[in-house]
Amino acid sequence: MSIEGLNPHIRSFHARRGRMSAQARSEVARLWPRLGIDVNGLPLDLECRFGSGVPVVLEIGFGLGEATASMAAADPGTGILAIDVHTPGVARLLTRIEATGLTNVRVAHGDAMELVRDQIARGSLAGVRAFFPDPWPKARHHKRRLVRPDFVALLGSRLRPGGFLHVATDWCDYARQMGEVLDAEPLLANAYAGPAPRPEKRPVTKFERAGLDLGHQVTDLVYLRRQPA
Protein backbone atom coordinates (compact mmCIF):
# COMPACT_ATOMS: atom_id res chain seq x y z
CA MET A 1 0.00 0.00 0.00
CA SER A 2 1.37 3.42 -0.91
CA ILE A 3 1.42 6.19 1.63
CA GLU A 4 -1.31 7.92 -0.35
CA GLY A 5 -3.52 4.80 -0.23
CA LEU A 6 -4.56 4.62 3.40
CA ASN A 7 -7.41 2.23 4.05
CA PRO A 8 -10.44 4.53 4.44
CA HIS A 9 -12.28 1.91 6.49
CA ILE A 10 -9.74 1.84 9.36
CA ARG A 11 -10.44 4.55 11.91
CA SER A 12 -8.08 5.50 14.72
CA PHE A 13 -10.91 7.07 16.70
CA HIS A 14 -14.43 6.45 17.92
CA ALA A 15 -16.81 8.21 15.53
CA ARG A 16 -18.67 10.37 18.01
CA ARG A 17 -19.96 13.91 17.88
CA GLY A 18 -20.76 14.48 21.54
CA ARG A 19 -23.37 16.88 22.82
CA MET A 20 -23.02 20.63 22.47
CA SER A 21 -25.22 23.20 24.10
CA ALA A 22 -27.09 25.69 21.96
CA GLN A 23 -24.61 28.35 23.10
CA ALA A 24 -21.64 26.20 22.07
CA ARG A 25 -23.17 25.59 18.65
CA SER A 26 -23.70 29.31 18.26
CA GLU A 27 -20.08 30.03 19.21
CA VAL A 28 -18.78 27.47 16.71
CA ALA A 29 -20.91 28.99 13.95
CA ARG A 30 -19.60 32.45 14.80
CA LEU A 31 -15.91 31.56 15.13
CA TRP A 32 -15.55 28.90 12.44
CA PRO A 33 -15.26 31.24 9.42
CA ARG A 34 -12.24 32.92 11.03
CA LEU A 35 -10.58 30.06 12.96
CA GLY A 36 -11.88 26.83 11.41
CA ILE A 37 -10.43 24.68 8.65
CA ASP A 38 -12.73 22.33 6.77
CA VAL A 39 -11.69 18.74 6.11
CA ASN A 40 -13.04 18.75 2.58
CA GLY A 41 -10.31 17.27 0.38
CA LEU A 42 -9.22 20.62 -1.05
CA PRO A 43 -5.51 21.59 -0.91
CA LEU A 44 -4.76 23.71 2.14
CA ASP A 45 -2.69 26.87 1.72
CA LEU A 46 -0.85 27.05 5.04
CA GLU A 47 0.75 30.40 4.22
CA CYS A 48 -2.67 31.90 3.58
CA ARG A 49 -3.99 30.61 6.89
CA PHE A 50 -0.95 31.31 9.10
CA GLY A 51 1.20 33.85 7.26
CA SER A 52 4.19 33.73 4.96
CA GLY A 53 7.18 31.95 6.43
CA VAL A 54 5.41 30.83 9.60
CA PRO A 55 6.33 27.24 10.57
CA VAL A 56 3.23 25.12 11.08
CA VAL A 57 2.83 22.22 13.50
CA LEU A 58 -0.03 19.76 13.13
CA GLU A 59 -1.54 18.61 16.43
CA ILE A 60 -3.64 15.47 16.22
CA GLY A 61 -6.18 14.99 18.99
CA PHE A 62 -6.32 17.97 21.34
CA GLY A 63 -9.09 16.91 23.75
CA LEU A 64 -10.49 20.07 25.32
CA GLY A 65 -7.60 22.17 24.07
CA GLU A 66 -5.91 23.27 27.31
CA ALA A 67 -2.46 21.96 26.34
CA THR A 68 -2.85 23.21 22.76
CA ALA A 69 -3.64 26.74 23.89
CA SER A 70 -0.84 26.72 26.45
CA MET A 71 1.81 25.60 23.94
CA ALA A 72 0.53 28.06 21.33
CA ALA A 73 0.72 30.94 23.80
CA ALA A 74 4.29 29.98 24.72
CA ASP A 75 5.35 29.82 21.04
CA PRO A 76 3.52 32.61 19.20
CA GLY A 77 5.85 32.41 16.18
CA THR A 78 4.62 28.92 15.32
CA GLY A 79 1.28 28.17 13.70
CA ILE A 80 -0.73 25.35 15.25
CA LEU A 81 -3.17 23.38 13.12
CA ALA A 82 -5.15 21.37 15.68
CA ILE A 83 -7.54 18.62 14.62
CA ASP A 84 -9.95 16.48 16.62
CA VAL A 85 -13.16 14.53 16.02
CA HIS A 86 -14.95 15.43 19.26
CA THR A 87 -17.27 18.37 18.69
CA PRO A 88 -17.44 19.66 22.30
CA GLY A 89 -13.64 19.82 22.33
CA VAL A 90 -13.65 21.76 19.08
CA ALA A 91 -16.12 24.24 20.56
CA ARG A 92 -14.07 24.56 23.75
CA LEU A 93 -10.82 25.24 21.89
CA LEU A 94 -12.41 27.81 19.58
CA THR A 95 -13.77 29.80 22.51
CA ARG A 96 -10.45 29.43 24.36
CA ILE A 97 -8.57 30.85 21.36
CA GLU A 98 -10.79 33.92 21.29
CA ALA A 99 -10.79 34.40 25.06
CA THR A 100 -6.99 34.31 25.30
CA GLY A 101 -6.36 36.35 22.15
CA LEU A 102 -4.35 33.66 20.38
CA THR A 103 -3.68 34.40 16.73
CA ASN A 104 -1.58 31.37 15.78
CA VAL A 105 -4.10 28.52 16.14
CA ARG A 106 -6.53 27.12 13.58
CA VAL A 107 -8.94 24.28 14.31
CA ALA A 108 -10.09 21.41 12.11
CA HIS A 109 -12.84 18.91 12.88
CA GLY A 110 -12.61 15.48 11.29
CA ASP A 111 -10.27 12.64 10.38
CA ALA A 112 -6.60 13.61 10.61
CA MET A 113 -5.67 10.93 8.11
CA GLU A 114 -7.91 12.47 5.46
CA LEU A 115 -6.64 15.97 6.22
CA VAL A 116 -2.99 14.95 5.91
CA ARG A 117 -3.44 12.75 2.86
CA ASP A 118 -5.67 15.03 0.81
CA GLN A 119 -4.98 18.59 1.91
CA ILE A 120 -1.45 19.02 3.26
CA ALA A 121 1.40 19.32 0.77
CA ARG A 122 4.55 17.25 0.98
CA GLY A 123 7.35 18.81 2.97
CA SER A 124 5.18 21.62 4.32
CA LEU A 125 4.98 20.90 8.08
CA ALA A 126 7.54 21.90 10.69
CA GLY A 127 6.24 19.24 13.05
CA VAL A 128 3.50 16.86 14.09
CA ARG A 129 2.34 16.20 17.65
CA ALA A 130 0.07 13.40 18.85
CA PHE A 131 -0.15 13.23 22.63
CA PHE A 132 -1.90 10.25 24.22
CA PRO A 133 -3.80 8.93 21.21
CA ASP A 134 -6.32 6.17 21.86
CA PRO A 135 -4.23 3.07 22.77
CA TRP A 136 -6.86 0.62 21.49
CA PRO A 137 -5.63 -1.92 24.06
CA LYS A 138 -7.40 -5.01 22.68
CA ALA A 139 -5.17 -6.92 20.25
CA ARG A 140 -7.89 -7.14 17.61
CA HIS A 141 -8.08 -3.33 17.57
CA HIS A 142 -4.34 -2.63 17.26
CA LYS A 143 -4.81 -1.97 13.54
CA ARG A 144 -6.78 1.13 14.55
CA ARG A 145 -3.88 2.70 16.40
CA LEU A 146 -2.82 6.08 15.05
CA VAL A 147 0.89 5.24 15.01
CA ARG A 148 1.01 2.54 12.37
CA PRO A 149 3.32 2.13 9.37
CA ASP A 150 1.11 3.60 6.64
CA PHE A 151 0.17 6.73 8.56
CA VAL A 152 3.69 7.30 9.88
CA ALA A 153 5.00 7.13 6.30
CA LEU A 154 2.37 9.66 5.26
CA LEU A 155 3.25 12.01 8.13
CA GLY A 156 6.94 11.70 7.33
CA SER A 157 6.30 12.74 3.73
CA ARG A 158 4.52 15.90 4.91
CA LEU A 159 7.35 16.98 7.22
CA ARG A 160 10.02 19.28 5.88
CA PRO A 161 13.65 18.13 6.36
CA GLY A 162 14.48 18.46 10.03
CA GLY A 163 10.81 18.58 10.99
CA PHE A 164 9.75 16.56 14.03
CA LEU A 165 7.19 13.92 14.90
CA HIS A 166 6.50 13.88 18.66
CA VAL A 167 4.22 11.24 20.16
CA ALA A 168 3.51 10.37 23.79
CA THR A 169 1.64 7.55 25.49
CA ASP A 170 1.16 6.08 28.94
CA TRP A 171 0.61 2.53 27.64
CA CYS A 172 3.84 0.49 27.70
CA ASP A 173 2.68 -1.87 24.95
CA TYR A 174 1.78 1.04 22.68
CA ALA A 175 5.07 2.79 23.45
CA ARG A 176 6.97 -0.32 22.36
CA GLN A 177 4.96 -0.59 19.15
CA MET A 178 5.38 3.13 18.46
CA GLY A 179 9.15 2.76 18.73
CA GLU A 180 9.17 -0.23 16.39
CA VAL A 181 7.03 1.51 13.78
CA LEU A 182 8.97 4.78 13.93
CA ASP A 183 12.36 3.04 13.82
CA ALA A 184 11.25 1.19 10.67
CA GLU A 185 10.26 4.34 8.78
CA PRO A 186 13.17 5.32 6.48
CA LEU A 187 12.15 8.99 6.32
CA LEU A 188 12.60 9.40 10.09
CA ALA A 189 15.47 9.21 12.58
CA ASN A 190 15.20 9.05 16.35
CA ALA A 191 16.28 12.35 17.88
CA TYR A 192 17.45 10.44 20.98
CA ALA A 193 18.91 7.04 21.72
CA GLY A 194 15.48 5.73 22.67
CA PRO A 195 12.66 7.57 24.46
CA ALA A 196 12.96 11.32 24.73
CA PRO A 197 13.15 13.18 28.03
CA ARG A 198 9.80 14.65 28.97
CA PRO A 199 9.75 18.12 27.36
CA GLU A 200 9.12 20.91 29.84
CA LYS A 201 7.11 22.76 27.20
CA ARG A 202 4.51 19.97 27.05
CA PRO A 203 1.85 20.65 29.69
CA VAL A 204 0.44 17.73 31.63
CA THR A 205 -2.75 16.78 29.80
CA LYS A 206 -5.91 15.34 31.32
CA PHE A 207 -5.11 11.96 29.80
CA GLU A 208 -1.54 12.03 31.08
CA ARG A 209 -2.70 12.95 34.58
CA ALA A 210 -5.20 10.09 34.58
CA GLY A 211 -2.49 7.66 33.49
CA LEU A 212 -0.09 8.88 36.15
CA ASP A 213 -2.79 8.49 38.79
CA LEU A 214 -3.04 4.84 37.73
CA GLY A 215 0.71 4.39 38.03
CA HIS A 216 1.36 4.30 34.29
CA GLN A 217 4.74 5.27 32.86
CA VAL A 218 4.65 8.04 30.26
CA THR A 219 6.87 7.65 27.19
CA ASP A 220 7.76 10.49 24.80
CA LEU A 221 9.24 9.69 21.40
CA VAL A 222 10.67 12.35 19.09
CA TYR A 223 11.77 11.58 15.53
CA LEU A 224 13.13 13.93 12.89
CA ARG A 225 12.64 13.99 9.13
CA ARG A 226 15.94 13.00 7.56
CA GLN A 227 17.76 15.44 5.36
CA PRO A 228 17.68 14.50 1.67
CA ALA A 229 20.70 12.57 0.46
Side-chain angles (χ1 to χ4, degrees), residues 56-60 125-130 155 159 163-167:
V56 176
V57 172
L58 173 67
E59 184 166 331
I60 301 173
L125 294 174
V128 177
R129 295 194 289 244
L155 292 174
L159 289 171
F164 68 85
L165 173 57
H166 181 184
V167 295

Side-chain angles (χ1 to χ4, degrees), residues 2-140:
S2 73
I3 61 176
E4 308 298 340
L6 296 175
N7 188 332
H9 302 294
I10 297 178
R11 298 292 186 184
S12 63
F13 55 87
H14 292 284
R16 56 194 177 98
R17 293 183 60 83
R19 293 183 178 180
M20 286 198 300
S21 66
Q23 181 179 356
R25 289 195 298 271
S26 175
E27 288 295 279
V28 170
R30 181 176 65 84
L31 295 171
W32 193 259
R34 178 165 60 90
L35 300 174
I37 289 179
D38 295 318
V39 180
N40 57 12
L42 299 178
L44 182 58
D45 187 338
L46 295 178
E47 286 200 353
C48 178
R49 300 310 298 263
F50 291 96
S52 179
V54 174
V56 176
V57 172
L58 173 67
E59 184 166 331
I60 301 173
F62 53 78
L64 296 179
E66 302 101 320
T68 301
S70 176
M71 289 186 288
D75 188 13
T78 296
I80 307 298
L81 172 52
I83 182 167
D84 205 297
V85 296
H86 195 219
T87 48
V90 169
R92 191 77 69 88
L93 180 55
L94 287 170
T95 56
R96 194 184 302 272
I97 291 169
E98 183 179 54
T100 55
L102 291 171
T103 61
N104 59 327
V105 184
R106 299 293 180 269
V107 182
H109 173 243
D111 188 345
M113 297 182 184
E114 294 179 3
L115 175 71
V116 175
R117 182 192 62 205
D118 300 333
Q119 297 183 239
I120 295 180
R122 290 172 176 265
S124 62
L125 294 174
V128 177
R129 295 194 289 244
F131 297 152
F132 305 96
D134 194 326
W136 292 99
K138 294 182 180 179
R140 69 177 183 271

